[in-house]
Amino acid sequence: MRRISWLSMIGISISVTAFLVVLFVMNGMNASIKKRIIGLEPHLYVQVADVKSATLLESHPVYQRLQEDPGNRAYVYEIQDVIIRTQDGQFRGGIARGVNRDSMSHFMEQLQKMSESGKSSSTYFWDPQDLPDAGEVMLGVDLAQSLGVFEGDFVTVVSPSGLLLPMGETPKFDRVRVKKIVTTSLSDVDANYLFFQRGKALNTLLGDNVRTYGIEVWLPNENQIENVKDDLMKFSDVKVETWMDRNSALLYALKLEKLTIGTFLGLAGMIAASSILTVLALLLSQKKRDIAILRTIGYSAKQTVRTFTQLGFMLSFVGVLIGVILGTGISLYIQANPIQLAVSQIYYDPSIPALVDFKLVFGVLFFSGLIAWFGSYIPARTAAEVEPSDALRMK
């Protein structure tokens, strides 16, 4: 019986430890992804209906409103779908994004901060002052690898509308030099985006009327996002998206993944904890004579149930407490010293981080205590059904 009790406590401890460590590691990964998105992606995207040029957008009242706060970083951008062709005849679709020098400098500074913080294992990195100039572009690392191009190579950028031209007509195109190949550890950016300075490259494609213009906004405080969005939505011709709106599918997938894994780990822990029911059931079946003696010397049925409930609760909660201490301790260590992966080229984030949430720790203790109490009370009720006279006659 003692051996079974020990095994049950160890099983509960391991289950709770695994539950906390996995959830805290997922917390850390989610926080790392969100931090990278917030650092590299504008907090707000603002578009104005029927505005077909950057000059008109800069004179619009919504742009002037954003400029009123000196802490805001608001830049006009232009974006369009393109076809990229290499000198070797390789084709690939992409998204051309044109911004001004200040916007590109801010983007590169954010990347440099992330690289210096140890979160990036980027081989492709540049000096913040090394910006693409006239006739030059930057490519995402995955896009460059799929095309087989390197820094210094030339590529031809064609508008997709050229595919609709009659046979024999030459579509508009622009030949540009790949100034830099960059990695952001954001799969969508690395696989699809081509960056250029607005007005200094891809000017040949302007006449196709397929470019979309907008304003990208970085705020000094992330908590102001919803307030600023509500303020900008007062303009009738303005559409505003936050970084959360644009990445809603990713954020939902991360939340669903965490919920699913947490649910199954919790069920595994409950299965391990159910072994305490077996321990109590065996104990009660073997101790009927002892229960009868307790009842004979004055123990009431309620006191007997309470005694065995406390015994089961103690066994369960000690296992839970050990698991919480181990799980929290391991997670705090990983949080302070992220596990570095040897094959960092395979993964966007070469480390396994963790983020401890003490609300979850106390929640686990509280709900585990409730489950342990009720789980111990159910088999302990059979102690009240023992008739002292019948139990004492048993051999």
Side-chain angles (χ1 to χ4, degrees):
M1 183 64 66
R2 183 177 298 176
R3 184 176 298 174
I4 296 175
S5 300
W6 276 106
L7 289 175
S8 299
M9 290 173 59
I10 292 172
I12 293 173
S13 299
I14 293 174
S15 298
V16 174
T17 301
F19 177 79
L20 290 177
V21 170
V22 170
L23 287 187
F24 290 150
V25 166
M26 293 191 69
N27 272 349
M29 290 183 172
N30 293 354
S32 177
I33 292 172
K34 290 179 181 179
K35 180 180 178 181
R36 180 166 289 275
I37 292 175
I38 293 174
L40 298 179
E41 189 166 328
H43 297 153
L44 294 171
Y45 287 87
V46 182
Q47 290 186 337
V48 181
D50 301 326
V51 173
K52 300 299 183 182
S53 74
T55 304
L56 291 176
L57 192 56
E58 289 174 345
S59 62
H60 194 277
V62 71
Y63 184 76
Q64 305 302 322
R65 174 70 64 85
L66 289 168
Q67 294 293 332
E68 290 175 1
D69 187 344
N72 294 340
R73 291 175 177 262
Y75 309 108
V76 173
Y77 70 90
E78 55 190 47
I79 193 167
Q80 74 173 93
D81 294 331
V82 294
I83 298 172
I84 306 169
R85 182 184 184 276
T86 67
Q87 294 177 333
D88 297 332
Q90 299 291 327
F91 286 88
R92 178 71 191 272
I95 301 173
R97 183 180 181 86
V99 293
N100 62 19
R101 189 179 184 87
D102 292 338
S103 174
M104 195 170 291
S105 297
H106 176 71
F107 178 80
M108 295 163 73
E109 287 169 5
Q110 292 297 108
L111 264 180
Q112 187 177 30
K113 288 178 182 178
M114 292 187 177
S115 177
E116 291 173 351
S117 67
K119 296 293 183 183
S120 174
S121 60
S122 170
T123 304
Y124 304 95
F125 193 71
W126 63 91
D127 187 278
Q129 301 301 320
D130 192 9
L131 299 174
D133 210 332
E136 296 176 334
V137 297
M138 296 191 303
L139 293 182
V141 58
D142 294 338
L143 179 60
Q145 289 177 353
S146 66
L147 290 169
V149 298
F150 300 92
E151 294 176 1
D153 290 349
F154 285 85
V155 295
T156 302
V157 182
V158 184
S159 172
S161 61
L163 301 175
L164 305 177
L165 294 176
M167 186 177 298
E169 290 194 26
T170 304
K172 294 181 179 179
F173 66 91
D174 210 336
R175 190 166 182 265
V176 292
R177 176 175 173 268
V178 179
K179 180 69 175 289
K180 286 294 177 182
I181 297 175
V182 300
T183 181
T184 65
S185 295
L186 296 177
S187 58
D188 183 55
V189 175
D190 288 343
N192 298 302
Y193 275 82
L194 173 152
F195 297 94
F196 65 97
Q197 276 205 62
R198 185 161 51 85
K200 293 192 175 183
L202 306 187
N203 294 325
T204 308
L205 309 182
L206 277 173
D208 289 339
N209 294 322
V210 294
R211 289 193 181 180
T212 302
Y213 295 88
I215 306 170
E216 55 185 24
V217 185
W218 278 273
L219 301 176
N221 188 348
E222 299 161 15
N223 298 325
Q224 299 176 345
I225 291 177
E226 291 300 327
N227 293 334
V228 175
K229 178 182 177 180
D230 294 339
D231 182 51
L232 297 179
M233 290 296 290
K234 295 177 182 178
F235 294 90
S236 59
D237 57 345
V238 169
K239 177 185 176 183
V240 183
E241 282 187 310
T242 68
W243 72 270
M244 293 174 287
D245 297 331
R246 293 174 65 91
N247 296 279
S248 58
L250 173 62
L251 297 177
Y252 177 77
L254 293 174
K255 186 181 296 184
L256 183 61
E257 180 185 36
K258 182 179 176 181
L259 177 62
T260 303
I261 293 178
T263 299
F264 281 102
L265 285 174
L267 290 174
M270 292 186 67
I271 292 172
S274 65
S275 60
I276 295 297
L277 300 178
T278 305
V279 172
L280 281 178
L282 290 173
L283 182 64
L284 290 169
S285 66
Q286 294 179 4
K287 299 294 183 180
K288 285 187 176 181
R289 288 179 62 86
D290 298 318
I291 294 172
I293 293 172
L294 289 174
R295 297 288 301 278
T296 302
I297 63 176
Y299 257 54
S300 65
K302 185 179 293 186
Q303 288 175 317
T304 306
V305 171
R306 186 186 301 121
T307 299
F308 284 95
T309 300
Q310 290 172 348
L311 176 62
F313 175 78
M314 182 181 66
L315 291 174
S316 301
F317 198 72
V318 167
V320 169
L321 189 60
I322 293 173
V324 166
I325 293 172
L326 287 175
T328 306
I330 293 172
S331 301
L332 286 172
Y333 178 80
I334 297 175
Q335 181 174 324
N337 306 279
I339 300 173
Q340 299 297 322
L341 300 175
V343 285
S344 60
Q345 290 81 6
I346 299 176
Y347 305 100
Y348 278 116
D349 194 340
S351 64
I352 298 179
L355 180 62
V356 175
D357 183 359
F358 285 100
K359 292 180 181 178
L360 179 60
V361 173
F362 291 116
V364 168
L365 284 173
F366 177 74
F367 286 105
S368 297
L370 286 180
I371 294 171
W373 182 267
F374 286 108
S376 303
Y377 175 75
I378 292 172
R381 287 186 306 172
T382 59
E385 300 172 0
V386 175
E387 291 294 337
S389 56
D390 295 336
L392 290 173
R393 291 195 196 100
M394 295 175 59
K395 294 183 179 180

